[in-house]
Amino acid sequence: MSTKILGWDFEETKQFLEFVLTNSNKSFLWIFDDWAKQKSRQPFSVRNYFYKLCKVLKSGGEIVESLNLSKCDLNKLFSKRFKQDDEIWLLQKILPTKNQKSVRRACFNLAGGDALKMARYQNKFR
Protein backbone atom coordinates (compact mmCIF):
# COMPACT_ATOMS: atom_id res chain seq x y z
CA MET A 1 0.00 0.00 0.00
CA SER A 2 1.16 3.52 -0.77
CA THR A 3 2.41 5.64 2.10
CA LYS A 4 0.26 8.54 0.86
CA ILE A 5 -3.50 8.91 0.59
CA LEU A 6 -4.56 11.68 -1.79
CA GLY A 7 -1.30 13.50 -1.13
CA TRP A 8 -1.22 13.26 2.67
CA ASP A 9 0.96 10.80 4.55
CA PHE A 10 -0.89 7.70 5.70
CA GLU A 11 -0.21 8.48 9.37
CA GLU A 12 -1.47 12.05 9.10
CA THR A 13 -4.63 10.83 7.35
CA LYS A 14 -5.20 8.30 10.12
CA GLN A 15 -4.63 10.94 12.82
CA PHE A 16 -6.92 13.36 11.01
CA LEU A 17 -9.76 10.83 10.84
CA GLU A 18 -9.31 10.01 14.52
CA PHE A 19 -9.44 13.75 15.25
CA VAL A 20 -12.64 14.14 13.21
CA LEU A 21 -14.27 11.16 14.95
CA THR A 22 -13.19 12.32 18.41
CA ASN A 23 -14.62 15.77 17.76
CA SER A 24 -17.73 14.68 15.84
CA ASN A 25 -19.89 16.70 18.24
CA LYS A 26 -18.22 19.91 16.98
CA SER A 27 -18.80 21.68 13.69
CA PHE A 28 -16.75 20.83 10.64
CA LEU A 29 -15.67 24.47 10.54
CA TRP A 30 -14.09 24.11 13.98
CA ILE A 31 -12.56 20.71 13.13
CA PHE A 32 -11.00 21.92 9.88
CA ASP A 33 -9.74 25.15 11.45
CA ASP A 34 -8.23 23.42 14.49
CA TRP A 35 -6.51 20.73 12.41
CA ALA A 36 -5.18 23.38 10.06
CA LYS A 37 -3.64 25.28 12.98
CA GLN A 38 -2.07 22.12 14.43
CA LYS A 39 -0.55 21.04 11.12
CA SER A 40 0.19 24.46 9.55
CA ARG A 41 -2.28 23.89 6.74
CA GLN A 42 -5.01 26.08 5.29
CA PRO A 43 -8.54 25.34 6.66
CA PHE A 44 -10.06 25.19 3.16
CA SER A 45 -7.35 22.78 2.08
CA VAL A 46 -8.24 20.53 5.05
CA ARG A 47 -11.93 20.78 4.16
CA ASN A 48 -11.29 19.88 0.53
CA TYR A 49 -9.12 16.95 1.58
CA PHE A 50 -11.84 15.68 3.92
CA TYR A 51 -14.48 15.65 1.19
CA LYS A 52 -12.17 13.98 -1.33
CA LEU A 53 -11.26 11.40 1.31
CA CYS A 54 -14.93 10.74 2.05
CA LYS A 55 -15.52 9.93 -1.62
CA VAL A 56 -12.65 7.44 -1.54
CA LEU A 57 -13.85 5.92 1.73
CA LYS A 58 -17.38 5.50 0.38
CA SER A 59 -16.06 3.18 -2.28
CA GLY A 60 -14.60 1.01 0.49
CA GLY A 61 -11.80 -1.39 -0.17
CA GLU A 62 -8.18 -1.43 0.81
CA ILE A 63 -7.96 2.11 2.21
CA VAL A 64 -10.86 1.57 4.63
CA GLU A 65 -9.27 -1.65 5.82
CA SER A 66 -5.80 -0.13 6.17
CA LEU A 67 -7.19 2.79 8.18
CA ASN A 68 -9.00 0.26 10.38
CA LEU A 69 -12.36 2.05 10.15
CA SER A 70 -15.53 0.34 11.35
CA LYS A 71 -18.98 0.82 9.84
CA CYS A 72 -19.85 2.91 12.89
CA ASP A 73 -16.85 5.18 12.24
CA LEU A 74 -17.80 5.55 8.59
CA ASN A 75 -21.39 6.38 9.51
CA LYS A 76 -20.13 9.07 11.88
CA LEU A 77 -18.00 10.58 9.12
CA PHE A 78 -20.85 10.61 6.61
CA SER A 79 -23.65 11.61 8.99
CA LYS A 80 -22.90 15.35 8.83
CA ARG A 81 -22.74 15.43 5.05
CA PHE A 82 -25.58 16.43 2.77
CA LYS A 83 -28.02 13.69 1.99
CA GLN A 84 -29.55 13.33 -1.49
CA ASP A 85 -32.90 14.76 -0.34
CA ASP A 86 -31.08 17.82 1.02
CA GLU A 87 -29.28 18.28 -2.30
CA ILE A 88 -32.56 18.12 -4.24
CA TRP A 89 -34.19 20.59 -1.83
CA LEU A 90 -31.25 22.97 -2.23
CA LEU A 91 -31.38 22.81 -6.03
CA GLN A 92 -35.16 23.37 -6.05
CA LYS A 93 -34.74 26.47 -3.88
CA ILE A 94 -31.72 28.05 -5.59
CA LEU A 95 -32.14 27.29 -9.30
CA PRO A 96 -35.36 29.34 -9.76
CA THR A 97 -33.71 32.38 -8.14
CA LYS A 98 -30.43 32.11 -10.03
CA ASN A 99 -31.40 34.56 -12.80
CA GLN A 100 -33.14 36.99 -10.46
CA LYS A 101 -30.43 37.55 -7.88
CA SER A 102 -27.08 36.16 -6.89
CA VAL A 103 -26.66 32.59 -5.74
CA ARG A 104 -24.95 33.99 -2.67
CA ARG A 105 -28.04 36.05 -1.79
CA ALA A 106 -30.35 33.07 -2.40
CA CYS A 107 -28.22 30.89 -0.11
CA PHE A 108 -28.15 33.62 2.53
CA ASN A 109 -31.95 33.88 2.45
CA LEU A 110 -32.34 30.09 2.68
CA ALA A 111 -30.00 30.03 5.67
CA GLY A 112 -32.11 32.62 7.46
CA GLY A 113 -29.12 34.93 7.87
CA ASP A 114 -26.82 32.25 9.33
CA ALA A 115 -23.46 32.88 7.61
CA LEU A 116 -22.12 29.37 8.28
CA LYS A 117 -25.21 27.73 6.82
CA MET A 118 -25.08 30.12 3.89
CA ALA A 119 -21.48 29.14 3.11
CA ARG A 120 -22.40 25.46 3.36
CA TYR A 121 -25.34 25.89 0.98
CA GLN A 122 -23.27 27.94 -1.45
CA ASN A 123 -20.42 25.45 -1.48
CA LYS A 124 -22.80 22.56 -2.00
CA PHE A 125 -24.59 24.37 -4.81
CA ARG A 126 -21.29 24.86 -6.63
Side-chain angles (χ1 to χ4, degrees):
M1 159 143 247
S2 171
T3 59
K4 295 212 179 250
I5 298 176
L6 300 172
W8 283 19
D9 289 330
F10 177 81
E11 279 305 312
E12 184 178 2
T13 299
K14 190 171 181 167
Q15 291 169 1
F16 174 61
L17 288 174
E18 288 170 4
F19 182 77
V20 171
L21 290 168
T22 302
N23 294 290
S24 62
N25 60 329
K26 297 186 174 137
S27 73
F28 276 151
L29 184 65
W30 182 91
I31 291 169
F32 300 152
D33 190 49
D34 199 57
W35 187 262
K37 286 176 187 169
Q38 288 181 33
K39 300 296 180 176
S40 300
R41 292 185 177 274
Q42 293 296 316
F44 290 119
S45 172
V46 174
R47 181 199 67 190
N48 292 342
Y49 181 78
F50 175 77
Y51 287 114
K52 284 182 199 171
L53 183 61
C54 280
K55 283 182 183 178
V56 171
L57 294 176
K58 266 194 169 181
S59 64
E62 190 178 325
I63 291 177
V64 174
E65 291 173 20
S66 65
L67 289 168
N68 201 22
L69 293 169
S70 68
K71 282 192 182 237
C72 180
D73 291 339
L74 290 173
N75 286 339
K76 260 188 182 178
L77 289 174
F78 301 141
S79 66
K80 290 177 108 174
R81 299 189 71 208
F82 273 92
K83 294 171 181 51
Q84 190 171 9
D85 290 345
D86 296 331
E87 291 175 4
I88 292 168
W89 172 82
L90 188 61
L91 286 173
Q92 288 173 338
K93 295 293 182 183
I94 294 176
L95 282 177
T97 66
K98 192 171 180 200
N99 294 328
Q100 298 166 5
K101 46 188 163 178
S102 74
V103 170
R104 186 179 182 91
R105 172 58 81 188
C107 292
F108 186 76
N109 290 340
L110 281 175
D114 182 336
L116 291 177
K117 255 189 194 176
M118 185 272 305
R120 188 169 186 238
Y121 290 163
Q122 186 177 333
N123 289 337
K124 187 59 185 179
F125 181 76
R126 285 185 188 153

